[in-house]
Amino acid sequence: ETYKLFGFAPGEVVPTPALMLSHVHPLDRVAVERLWMRASLGAAQFCAAFRLIDALGLERRVLMYGQGLGPGQGDFPVVQGCLFDLTDLFERELRRATREAVLRAIRSHESVDKAVGILMCHLGITADAALRVLMTGSSHTNIKVRELADELVSIVETNPSGRGIDAFLKTLRPQRPAQPRLQGRHPP
């Protein structure tokens, strides 16, 4: 299984630490090399997740667990362990996370579309202008467009007659400080 993981047929190559390390992803190589070095100096256990690049150039996600056993024959250090291929698990998790993100985006988009439609009807404006109302309101209030859209949709669902929309729109306008009244004559 280890030969296959590295992209070789069983017995095709002699498995050496140098060969294994040459297949570790360049960004992970230094950390893996340090880990193996520490393990080979004594009876230290280790566990690490990293990337391998197999003989075909495919990236694999792996978990290595093992232990240094101290000196072996000829005083060479012995490290023993297991290598687990986690690539399929990572890919399944990535697909799941991607699906969830897309669903969240779709739900968010639906809410914004509903709010745009409400503003189009209420204000008699185009879809682009209605979206600009939400985006400008988001900028003035520092509230995400989706959250504003959710609030507007909730207002209309609670009161289908449309009462409350104007009050909502007022909250989107920037609050301007009151202008002081100037007294007396001013030069032209």
Side-chain angles (χ1 to χ4, degrees):
E1 290 302 315
T2 303
Y3 281 102
K4 290 178 188 174
L5 180 60
F6 280 84
F8 298 110
E12 183 178 345
V13 294
V14 175
T16 64
L19 177 67
M20 289 183 72
L21 195 57
S22 73
H23 284 276
V24 174
H25 190 284
L27 296 176
D28 298 337
R29 194 170 293 147
V30 171
V32 170
E33 189 172 23
R34 284 185 188 145
L35 180 81
W36 288 351
M37 196 62 113
R38 279 194 308 267
S40 68
L41 293 176
Q45 290 186 341
F46 63 90
C47 183
F50 56 94
R51 295 164 290 180
L52 287 178
I53 307 297
D54 71 14
L56 301 173
L58 301 174
E59 185 176 300
R60 311 295 299 170
R61 298 285 184 143
V62 298
L63 177 71
M64 179 175 269
Y65 171 79
Q67 179 172 0
L69 301 176
Q73 293 180 349
D75 290 329
F76 289 106
V78 175
V79 176
Q80 177 179 321
C82 298
L83 192 61
F84 302 96
D85 186 359
L86 303 177
T87 306
D88 291 341
L89 175 67
F90 270 85
E91 288 174 357
R92 278 195 308 272
E93 277 301 305
L94 179 61
R95 284 192 301 271
R96 183 194 60 75
T98 301
R99 270 193 313 273
E100 288 176 4
V102 168
L103 289 175
R104 279 193 307 274
I106 289 170
R107 283 193 292 273
S108 173
H109 198 318
E110 287 174 355
S111 178
V112 172
D113 284 347
K114 286 179 184 179
V116 164
I118 291 167
L119 293 175
M120 288 171 64
C121 291
H122 188 76
L123 299 174
I125 57 178
T126 67
D128 287 341
L131 183 57
R132 276 195 304 277
V133 167
L134 288 173
M135 290 170 43
T136 302
S138 172
S139 176
H140 292 309
T141 61
N142 201 26
I143 299 172
K144 294 179 182 178
V145 170
R146 182 192 47 78
E147 292 175 15
L148 291 175
D150 288 343
E151 184 179 342
L152 179 57
V153 169
S154 177
I155 288 169
V156 171
E157 286 175 346
T158 304
N159 190 346
S161 69
R163 291 183 55 211
I165 296 175
D166 289 327
F168 169 81
L169 290 171
K170 284 181 185 176
T171 67
L172 300 184
R173 295 188 188 119
Q175 300 300 319
R176 296 181 188 196
Q179 296 292 327
R181 291 184 174 229
L182 301 175
Q183 306 229 347
R185 248 181 101 130
H186 301 288

